[in-house]
Amino acid sequence: MTDSGKTFDALLAEEQLSDPSFRAEWQRLAPAREFAATLLRYRAEHKLSQRALAEKLGVSQPRVVKLESGEHNPEVDTIINAVRRLGIEFVLDVAPASRKPVLVTTRAQKRGAIAHDEVSVVAASSV
């Protein structure tokens, strides 16, 4: 904790998000981070290795590493494949930033929308 009562990580995040280029990239990758977290939660809940998850998804283990990194937005086909093979639900709502999302679930809305280039993005999963 610092004198301000914030953790070092919180201060670092605050500083990084104040940089416009970092903030834009952070916002752009919000769906990737949520999809990555979904895969990680699924893998932990089912006690799977990355290799075992890769087999369930029908992809290579390095592909799972990439998806779990949250550094690349997954293609829609990748999300559909994961939903079909893992039996999970994944929601992605993109709407104008000027209005509150209305098509997504309350659970997804609680996560909050992230503004990105005049649109809001909400991503959530059932895992």
Side-chain angles (χ1 to χ4, degrees):
M1 287 284 202
T2 63
D3 293 338
S4 67
K6 294 182 181 178
T7 65
F8 176 76
D9 289 341
L11 287 172
L12 182 61
E14 197 174 278
E15 182 178 322
Q16 288 174 328
L17 289 174
S18 68
D19 173 24
S21 62
F22 179 87
R23 187 176 58 250
E25 185 67 1
W26 182 258
Q27 292 166 339
R28 186 183 75 77
L29 292 175
R33 288 190 312 278
E34 182 60 33
F35 190 66
T38 298
L39 293 178
L40 287 164
R41 281 190 302 268
Y42 181 90
R43 200 160 61 79
E45 288 174 8
H46 293 86
K47 297 177 177 44
L48 297 174
S49 66
Q50 286 182 332
R51 181 166 283 125
L53 180 60
E55 288 176 16
K56 284 185 80 77
L57 292 173
V59 300
S60 67
Q61 185 267 339
R63 178 74 175 132
V64 170
V65 170
K66 185 176 179 179
L67 291 170
E68 288 185 349
S69 76
E71 296 176 2
H72 308 278
N73 276 321
E75 294 182 7
V76 172
D77 288 344
T78 300
I79 295 170
I80 290 170
N81 180 57
V83 166
R84 181 176 54 252
R85 290 178 176 247
L86 303 179
I88 61 173
E89 182 177 352
F90 188 81
V91 175
L92 180 63
D93 179 82
V94 182
S98 60
R99 72 168 181 82
K100 181 181 176 185
V102 296
L103 299 177
V104 296
T105 65
T106 302
R107 179 178 174 185
Q109 288 180 24
K110 284 182 183 176
R111 288 192 174 289
I114 296 176
H116 172 64
D117 291 337
E118 300 179 4
V119 299
S120 71
V121 178
V122 176
S125 71
S126 62
V127 182

